[in-house]
Amino acid sequence: MNEESAKVAVADSWNTYWQSPHANAAYTSNGAGHPSVLAFWNDYFREVHTREDSPRIIDIASGNGAVVDCAKTVFAENLPDFTCLDVSSAAIDLLKSRLPGVNGVIADAKTIPLDSGMFDLATSQFGLEYAGLDALDEVIRILSDKGELVLLLHHRGGSIYAHCHEGLEAIREVRASQFISHSIATFDAGFASLKGDDHSDYSAAGNKLAPAITAMGAIIDKYGVNVVDGLVVALYRDVRTILSRMSHYHPDDVSDWLHKMQEEVEAYEGRMASMCEAAIDSEAFAALRQSISDKSLEIVKSEALEVPGEQSPIAWVLVARK
């Protein structure tokens, strides 16, 4: 897959995510709602509020607006001029429906379609690293004189990275088991059998599904019931329930559900793979600090965001000023 195709695939996986039924609360997942992350942004925006009443802010790779929500708790009714940029059109549409006063821009951070010097603050929470750190030039370009860059970045080896990596391994094992495709074939044959077709097709499909069911049970035993945010155990449980009471379900409903689950599994794999690939180790973080210094920005803060009671940090923090 070339770079352009890879970018489209990642954008599609995030669109699937933001279009899911739980999307209104989805901005709290993948570490975005972690108390230490919320505390960081609340402290930061309080400090900003002491020196500026209405800074012009852009949030890069904003998702559904977790950073905006933190700013709202500090600025209350006087929310600054806020622009959110994301490659996912679904994320921007959802964000604008939740927060009508926020400007939304659908674009890659490497090519921001906005004028230079427009913003006093550029924030990014687990986002800029997806575009690649060479997107820094674009983000710095749109900062005003004395503008500030504030980044939370995925920490390779940190707790969020470990969660994403485990989810990626689990979902790849789910896909390798062909559980969903075998379930689709079994239900197609089973519903046909209920209408009078040859039962042998149903038996043959069921024989192929049986080892996939065993594999799913092994995945749950290996990773736990909460892996992939509970998706694996829900899929395993619901397929077995429908199998035991097939006559109580409509074939189209089952087929639609399984195909949607297939899309969700594929999209989840894409998101987790992109998260793991984008995560930054200590060497890359040092290179990022050097790159920012070389661009004549003053580094105000540069550290790992530690979590009380946990051994692994949750993110890298980098604050720099023009």
Side-chain angles (χ1 to χ4, degrees):
M1 184 181 294
N2 61 35
E3 182 179 355
E4 189 60 34
S5 297
K7 285 168 59 177
V8 170
V10 170
D12 287 346
S13 72
W14 283 105
N15 272 328
T16 299
Y17 181 60
W18 294 117
Q19 290 167 346
S20 63
H22 55 272
N24 278 304
Y27 64 90
T28 63
S29 65
N30 298 318
H34 192 287
S36 294
V37 170
L38 297 178
F40 167 80
W41 288 116
N42 286 335
D43 290 346
Y44 175 75
F45 284 124
R46 285 193 191 99
E47 190 275 327
V48 169
H49 199 18
T50 63
R51 52 187 164 94
E52 273 188 274
D53 288 331
S54 55
R56 299 164 298 169
I57 306 174
I58 185 168
D59 188 43
I60 306 296
S62 56
N64 193 27
V67 175
V68 187
D69 284 326
C70 289
K72 283 183 65 179
T73 64
V74 173
F75 288 92
E77 299 301 320
N78 299 313
L79 184 69
D81 181 5
F82 225 113
T83 296
C84 289
L85 180 144
D86 201 285
V87 71
S88 168
S89 58
I92 293 297
D93 289 345
L94 187 57
L95 185 149
K96 290 173 70 175
S97 70
R98 274 201 326 112
L99 303 166
V102 171
N103 303 312
V105 177
I106 302 166
D108 191 301
K110 287 182 179 178
T111 52
I112 300 175
L114 298 170
D115 293 338
S116 299
M118 285 184 62
F119 300 98
D120 304 306
L121 301 176
T123 63
S124 182
Q125 174 176 280
F126 307 137
L128 184 66
E129 58 268 48
Y130 290 97
L133 297 180
D134 51 347
L136 272 173
D137 286 338
E138 269 292 85
V139 179
I140 292 171
R141 177 185 66 79
I142 60 174
L143 278 176
S144 63
D145 291 341
K146 299 184 180 179
E148 202 157 272
L149 175 68
V150 190
L151 306 177
L152 280 189
L153 303 161
H154 278 301
H155 190 301
R156 185 176 292 272
S159 55
I160 293 176
Y161 175 84
H163 174 78
C164 293
H165 191 265
E166 180 180 70
L168 177 60
E169 289 185 332
I171 212 66
R172 283 177 171 168
E173 290 184 27
V174 169
R175 294 196 67 190
S177 76
Q178 301 183 62
F179 178 77
I180 296 179
S181 60
H182 286 315
S183 295
I184 291 170
T186 299
F187 285 124
D188 285 347
F191 284 120
S193 176
L194 289 174
K195 293 179 180 180
D197 285 7
D198 190 344
H199 189 78
S200 62
D201 290 341
Y202 177 45
S203 296
N207 288 336
K208 292 182 179 180
L209 176 60
I213 290 176
T214 300
M216 287 287 282
I219 293 167
I220 294 166
D221 289 341
K222 179 179 179 180
Y223 295 102
V225 296
N226 294 320
V227 72
V228 192
D229 300 324
L231 183 149
V232 177
V233 74
L235 179 59
Y236 173 77
R237 178 197 62 218
D238 291 348
V239 164
R240 295 190 67 178
T241 298
I242 298 169
L243 278 172
S244 67
R245 306 176 70 247
M246 199 180 306
S247 62
H248 293 78
Y249 295 87
H250 193 283
D252 291 343
D253 291 340
V254 174
S255 178
D256 288 347
W257 169 67
L258 280 169
H259 282 92
K260 287 177 182 176
M261 291 299 289
Q262 183 82 291
E263 291 177 2
E264 188 167 343
V265 164
E266 292 173 359
Y268 182 91
E269 181 182 6
R271 293 193 306 273
M272 293 305 103
S274 65
M275 285 177 180
C276 291
E277 184 178 347
I280 296 170
D281 60 18
S282 57
E283 183 177 340
F285 189 62
L288 171 62
R289 292 198 308 267
Q290 185 61 54
S291 176
I292 287 176
S293 295
D294 291 344
K295 298 177 193 303
S296 299
L297 272 72
E298 172 195 2
I299 294 179
V300 178
K301 180 179 288 189
S302 169
E303 62 189 25
L305 181 60
E306 303 291 344
V307 179
E310 294 186 20
Q311 292 185 339
S312 300
I314 198 168
W316 294 110
V317 176
L318 199 149
V319 181
R321 187 178 298 138
K322 267 191 171 182

